Amino acid sequence: MLFRANMQLSDFVYGKSSKDKTSGKKLGTVALAVFVILALSLVSGTMSYGMLELMHPYGLGAFVPAMFYIAGSILTLMTAVGYSRALLFASRDLDTLLSMPISHLTLLLSKLAGLYVYELIFAAVLFVPAYIMYFVVVGFTAGGLLTMLIAVLFAPLIPLSLGLLVAFLFGLIMRRMKRRNLIQIVFFLLFFAAYMYVMSNSEDIFIFIENAGSDFWNRVTNAYFPAALLYNAINGDLLSLLGFAAINAAPMLLVTALLSKFFLKMTALLKQSAKKSKFVMKHQKNSGLFGALLRKEFQRFTGSATYMLNCGIGLVLLLGIAIASFFIGDDIFAQAGFADNGLMVFSTAIPLFLFFSTLTTTTSVSVSLEGHALWILKTAPVPTTTILSSKIAANLLLYLPAQLVATILLTIRFGLNVQYALFLFLIPAAALGITTALGLILNLAFPKLDYDNETRVIKQSMSVFLSTMINILLTIVFSVPLYVLLIPYAPFFTLLAFAYFLILGAVAALLCYILRSWGVKKFNVLPA
């Protein structure tokens, strides 16, 4: 069972057994994971230290790690809902495993062990830095260390058990719906809107906590009783610590027992799909070869929830940040120096536009997703340049309208001048041309055509990893001229911004030329 659990975690991280991965790819994946963990830990530690400085004088120091335990529980619940269905109820190896001479309980424990370790990392990333800061401010004790270890080990159990049930119920409701992908995106947008509202009002929230004191903590613990037990345990109550462990373990034991008893029925229910509408023959409009290929790219994008969420997350964030600006008070923008300062708004918005619109591109996976059907494109009477152009156009048509809408919204919100509004669209658009072409070049250089699950292409392929890392680096590089040239030489803004736009456009044109020469040859020699 332990071997199987290790394989589950390895498959989740690498997509396949680690034997199938080169040392370079594994090293890159590990490096990215370490970077994300360190970044989240730094954010958690910094925020918790600031809250401890605020709360400890009032005798509420234990409140901070307990609050981060709640935050970790929420994050664990979200990730458990998102991944448990794919890893447990609808995994590709499920039929094979069910046919093996092992009990359903053993199968469940092996899969749950891998999922538990994954969720444990999320809980530890938020909770452990907060508790270390608690040691720094309040003081270290052996009992406190024991409390931290038990809290970390047992913290994921309640949200994980709830996440399993919610994932099953959500899948049960969604299984017969025709627009499941759209509904999932709507839920993501609602969550993002709530997150932006909380972040934009964080200062008011801290003031409210300071004024409310223990009354606020009593309200929180009434809503989530395990946090009250942890709060008492941090203050040295051993019985509360034992109660915390027992209350967290009980729901997981109950859910595991229910799953082992009804696992076959639950997986059978989730495999049901929506009733297809009656087929009606329709005349297809003739839009030419390019239009047909472009339509195929969009059909692939809208037909996969994984593809939409991974490649469309930047699209959602780009529009979300522009919409969120209307819900942030003028006083906050005034403190940030945005009031009646179009150049400050421009220099802040450009890096955000660059980051969100270039973080993920459809071109970094569009060739790989052809998979074993690539021979259809290669044998069709279509020029290779037309095929590559359609893949570039699909990404541009996704992000350029979003950039335009975001530019209009920010122009209205801050009353930007014409030149700021114009280059707020043109500069990110030119940068988008660079990252779009670069994503296709990387996908041609590192294709992954022999996959058995598109998730492994969309989230775990080398072209996606390199594209994401390079795009983050390019965002930093592209933002440097804003602070080196445009801000210091504001009187020459229009001339400098236009020159910068031309330079970015020239780089994009050079990459497109590489695609028309090297890219065409590379595509033609790909194994079909």
Side-chain angles (χ1 to χ4, degrees):
M1 186 185 76
L2 293 177
F3 174 75
R4 181 63 197 169
N6 178 66
M7 291 299 293
Q8 290 292 332
L9 186 61
S10 176
D11 288 349
F12 183 80
V13 175
Y14 296 114
K16 285 186 177 181
S17 173
S18 58
K19 295 179 181 179
D20 298 332
K21 293 288 182 178
T22 64
S23 58
K25 292 182 179 180
K26 288 193 292 183
L27 182 62
T29 304
V30 172
L32 179 60
V34 170
F35 172 77
V36 173
I37 290 174
L38 291 178
L40 291 176
S41 300
L42 179 62
V43 172
S44 174
T46 303
M47 292 181 62
S48 59
Y49 183 80
M51 294 177 67
L52 279 164
E53 289 291 323
L54 178 66
M55 298 298 171
H56 181 56
Y58 297 94
L60 295 173
F63 159 82
V64 176
M67 278 297 295
F68 275 84
Y69 157 70
I70 296 177
S73 299
I74 295 173
L75 180 61
T76 303
L77 176 62
M78 292 171 53
T79 54
V81 171
Y83 288 112
S84 58
R85 184 175 183 273
L87 294 177
L88 185 63
F89 299 114
S91 60
R92 297 181 64 88
D93 62 348
L94 187 58
D95 293 335
T96 302
L97 293 175
L98 288 174
S99 64
M100 297 176 66
I102 56 176
S103 66
H104 292 169
L105 179 60
T106 302
L107 171 60
L108 281 171
L109 291 178
S110 67
K111 285 183 169 290
L112 289 176
L115 188 58
Y116 167 75
V117 173
Y118 176 73
E119 300 297 351
L120 185 65
I121 295 173
F122 276 97
V125 163
L126 288 180
F127 181 74
V128 172
Y131 214 108
I132 292 175
M133 291 299 104
Y134 176 80
F135 287 150
V136 171
V137 176
V138 179
F140 174 81
T141 61
L145 179 61
L146 177 63
T147 301
M148 183 186 74
L149 293 176
I150 292 178
V152 170
L153 291 175
F154 284 87
L157 296 181
I158 288 181
L160 179 57
S161 58
L162 290 176
L164 291 170
L165 293 178
V166 172
F168 170 72
L169 295 175
F170 188 74
L172 200 63
I173 295 171
M174 298 283 291
R175 74 191 194 281
R176 293 185 178 275
M177 293 185 178
K178 297 181 179 180
R179 303 295 181 183
R180 289 179 294 180
N181 296 342
L182 180 61
I183 295 174
Q184 291 177 8
I185 291 177
V186 170
F187 275 109
F188 177 81
L189 287 173
L190 291 176
F191 168 77
F192 178 75
Y195 172 79
M196 291 301 302
Y197 175 79
V198 172
M199 293 301 295
S200 62
N201 294 277
S202 58
E203 184 176 352
D204 295 335
I205 292 174
F206 283 134
I207 294 175
F208 172 77
I209 293 174
E210 181 181 1
N211 294 333
S214 59
D215 290 337
F216 173 78
W217 177 241
N218 291 333
R219 296 176 189 175
V220 173
T221 53
N222 289 335
Y224 194 55
F225 182 65
L229 293 175
L230 180 59
Y231 178 79
N232 295 331
I234 294 173
N235 286 322
D237 190 342
L238 180 60
L239 290 178
S240 294
L241 181 61
L242 296 176
F244 173 82
I247 287 181
N248 276 273
M252 194 69 222
L253 294 174
L254 179 60
V255 169
T256 303
L258 290 174
L259 287 174
S260 63
K261 185 175 180 61
F262 301 105
F263 189 61
L264 282 178
K265 293 182 179 179
M266 296 170 74
T267 53
L269 285 172
L270 291 180
K271 287 184 178 181
Q272 297 177 0
S273 58
K275 181 180 179 181
K276 301 297 182 181
S277 58
K278 185 178 180 180
F279 178 77
V280 178
M281 178 66 74
K282 295 181 179 180
H283 292 287
Q284 179 66 47
K285 293 182 179 180
N286 183 11
S287 56
L289 296 176
F290 182 82
L293 292 171
L294 185 60
R295 186 164 54 251
K296 181 177 70 70
E297 294 293 329
F298 280 111
Q299 288 174 349
R300 178 186 290 127
F301 180 78
T302 57
S304 170
T306 304
Y307 195 16
M308 292 179 69
L309 290 176
N310 191 71
C311 296
I313 187 170
L315 184 71
V316 173
L317 293 173
L318 177 63
L319 292 174
I321 197 70
I323 296 172
S325 66
F326 287 86
F327 297 93
I328 300 176
D330 293 336
D331 54 338
I332 297 178
F333 284 130
Q335 293 177 4
F338 291 164
D340 300 325
N341 192 340
L343 183 58
M344 180 64 70
V345 175
F346 175 86
S347 59
T348 303
I350 284 289
L352 293 176
F353 275 38
L354 293 175
F355 180 75
F356 292 143
S357 61
T358 64
L359 180 62
T360 54
T361 61
T362 60
T363 52
S364 61
V365 295
S366 58
V367 174
S368 295
L369 287 177
E370 299 293 345
H372 297 295
L374 182 63
W375 65 271
I376 299 177
L377 278 182
K378 299 190 70 171
T379 57
V382 183
T384 303
T385 53
T386 303
I387 296 173
L388 299 181
S389 298
S390 67
K391 296 182 180 299
I392 290 178
N395 191 73
L396 295 178
L397 289 177
L398 279 175
Y399 283 99
L400 284 178
Q403 288 183 351
L404 180 59
V405 171
T407 300
I408 294 173
L409 291 176
L410 291 182
T411 301
I412 295 174
R413 176 66 178 87
F414 297 101
L416 298 179
N417 294 332
V418 175
Q419 64 268 27
Y420 291 139
L422 178 63
F423 289 106
L424 184 58
F425 172 74
L426 291 180
I427 291 177
L432 178 64
I434 294 175
T435 55
T436 300
L438 183 61
L440 189 54
I441 290 173
L442 290 172
N443 197 200
L444 288 170
F446 302 97
K448 188 178 179 65
L449 302 171
D450 57 344
Y451 62 91
D452 58 354
N453 188 336
E454 67 176 19
T455 302
R456 292 171 181 169
V457 176
I458 296 170
K459 292 189 174 182
Q460 300 163 356
S461 62
M462 178 58 72
S463 60
V464 172
F465 173 76
L466 290 176
S467 177
T468 302
M469 293 296 100
I470 293 175
N471 288 348
I472 292 175
L473 179 62
L474 288 179
T475 297
I476 299 174
V477 173
F478 291 161
S479 301
V480 169
L482 299 175
Y483 303 96
V484 175
L485 294 174
L486 296 183
I487 293 179
Y489 301 98
F492 306 99
F493 172 83
T494 302
L495 180 62
L496 292 173
F498 183 69
Y500 186 38
F501 165 71
L502 290 180
I503 293 173
L504 293 179
V507 175
L510 175 62
L511 293 176
C512 289
Y513 174 78
I514 293 174
L515 280 174
R516 293 180 63 88
S517 53
W518 173 87
V520 170
K521 296 178 182 178
K522 183 65 177 178
F523 183 86
N524 290 335
V525 299
L526 288 177

